[in-house]
């Protein structure tokens, strides 16, 4: 068990809808990362938050947004969903020390999103 | 440009034999870290091993070792004495010091261990 909790585990929805994925980081970790894993794109970094502030942005679509709350849990909001958004969405956490290269990410079990 | 390249989409290995999974990377940052993760069919991402760009020795963790060739920009994972439970996807990843905490992942290699 990584200590990172993601809910829900599975989500089935229709095109055009909006969903929210939730992540609780490991106790003590201040940084949360969101990744999208699909067969054609592999594991793509979406966005990182550190202690409530956006830290880094990757290939995140404008239809997607995220935030990290004061209790450090994070939510990824996906709107105007398209078939191509079907993927496994991972949340990961780390303590994050600026300049450190050795901190591993602890991953949640993922949310499998199916857009029909 | 692809920062992490894993050229072997799939590999087979006989149980109890050693196998090498290839990873090359591209960065201009002198300080970086290289990671390997395992993703079994159940889907979770499991950390295996880490190598820092300034580490003089190759990293080892049990049956896993990392063959780090800095000049070639390669960080190959070696699994010794393969077990059936090693069948999984393996991802190489890199963190650059000046790019925050995110890891950039390669496309992965699917390893199948045959009995």
């Amino acid at each position: 068990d990584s200590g990172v909790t993601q809910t829900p585990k599975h989500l089935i929805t229709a095109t055009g809808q909006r969903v929210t994925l939730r992540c609780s980081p490991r106790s003590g970790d201040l940084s949360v990362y969101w990744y999208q894993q699909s067969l054609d794109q592999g594991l793509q970094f979406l966005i990182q938050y550190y202690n409530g502030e956006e830290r880094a942005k990757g290939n995140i679509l404008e239809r997607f947004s995220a935030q990290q709350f004061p209790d450090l849990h994070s939510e990824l909001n996906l709107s105007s969903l398209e078939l191509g958004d079907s993927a496994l969405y991972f949340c990961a956490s780390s303590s994050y020390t600026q300049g450190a290269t050795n901190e591993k990410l602890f991953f949640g079990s993922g949310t499998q999103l199916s857009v029909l | 440009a692809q920062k992490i390249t894993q050229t072997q989409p799939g590999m087979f290995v006989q149980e109890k034999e050693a196998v090498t999974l290839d990873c090359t990377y591209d960065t201009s940052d002198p300080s970086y870290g290289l990671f390997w993760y395992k993703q079994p069919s159940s889907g979770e991402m499991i950390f295996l091993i880490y190598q820092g760009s300034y580490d003089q020795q190759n990293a080892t963790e049990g049956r896993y070792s990392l063959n780090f060739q800095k000049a070639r920009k390669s960080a190959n994972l070696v699994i010794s004495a393969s077990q059936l439970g090693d069948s999984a996807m393996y991802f190489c990843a890199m963190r650059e010091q000046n790019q925050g905490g995110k890891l950039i992942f390669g496309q992965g290699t699917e390893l199948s261990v045959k009995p």
Side-chain angles (χ1 to χ4, degrees):
Chain A
D1 182 8
S2 68
V4 179
T5 304
Q6 283 189 253
T7 57
K9 288 197 185 306
H10 303 277
L11 202 46
I12 301 174
T13 189
T15 54
Q17 295 299 303
R18 172 189 168 96
V19 296
T20 297
L21 313 184
R22 184 188 166 102
C23 170
S24 294
R26 275 189 339 149
S27 176
D29 283 352
L30 297 179
S31 196
V32 168
Y33 311 76
W34 287 96
Y35 284 83
Q36 178 194 57
Q37 185 178 26
S38 60
L39 283 174
D40 55 341
Q41 295 288 328
L43 260 166
Q44 295 287 317
F45 168 71
L46 296 179
I47 197 163
Q48 176 197 1
Y49 278 82
Y50 176 76
N51 204 19
E53 302 281 331
E54 182 184 304
R55 195 78 182 189
K57 216 166 185 175
N59 302 321
I60 188 166
L61 299 172
E62 283 193 13
R63 299 183 286 108
F64 296 1
S65 65
Q67 54 184 325
Q68 186 179 28
F69 295 87
D71 66 353
L72 300 177
H73 91 272
S74 178
E75 293 180 356
L76 180 66
N77 299 296
L78 315 176
S79 62
S80 303
L81 284 167
E82 301 175 359
L83 297 177
D85 297 327
S86 295
L88 182 57
Y89 291 84
F90 280 111
C91 169
S93 75
S94 76
S95 53
Y96 183 60
T97 303
Q98 188 167 1
T101 62
N102 61 344
E103 289 171 357
K104 59 189 177 189
L105 298 191
F106 293 87
F107 283 80
S109 55
T111 294
Q112 182 67 56
L113 175 66
S114 299
V115 183
L116 305 179
Chain B
Q2 193 77 301
K3 283 191 173 267
I4 297 283
T5 303
Q6 295 181 252
T7 56
Q8 308 151 312
M11 287 195 69
F12 288 91
V13 65
Q14 205 69 36
E15 194 178 8
K16 298 179 185 174
E17 291 186 352
V19 63
T20 298
L21 307 184
D22 295 340
C23 173
T24 58
Y25 59 92
D26 184 29
T27 180
S28 56
D29 195 329
S31 181
Y32 53 89
L34 298 158
F35 299 76
W36 279 90
Y37 279 81
K38 172 184 178 181
Q39 186 179 37
S41 57
S42 50
E44 71 268 33
M45 295 288 288
I46 302 166
F47 166 77
L48 295 178
I49 196 166
Y50 164 81
Q51 178 86 41
S53 60
Y54 293 116
D55 292 344
Q56 295 295 313
Q57 293 191 324
N58 287 340
T60 59
E61 291 280 353
R63 293 187 299 111
Y64 304 109
S65 60
L66 201 152
N67 184 0
F68 180 46
Q69 298 187 47
K70 194 169 182 177
R72 289 180 151 188
K73 293 189 174 178
S74 76
N76 299 339
L77 177 70
V78 181
I79 305 175
S80 63
S82 297
Q83 302 172 356
L84 296 178
D86 294 334
S87 294
M89 281 290 288
Y90 289 81
F91 291 95
C92 180
M94 175 174 66
R95 171 184 288 121
E96 296 166 295
Q97 184 186 47
N98 294 325
Q99 295 295 321
K102 68 179 186 288
L103 295 184
I104 303 299
F105 285 85
Q107 289 293 100
T109 295
E110 184 170 10
L111 178 66
S112 298
V113 180
K114 299 194 285 187

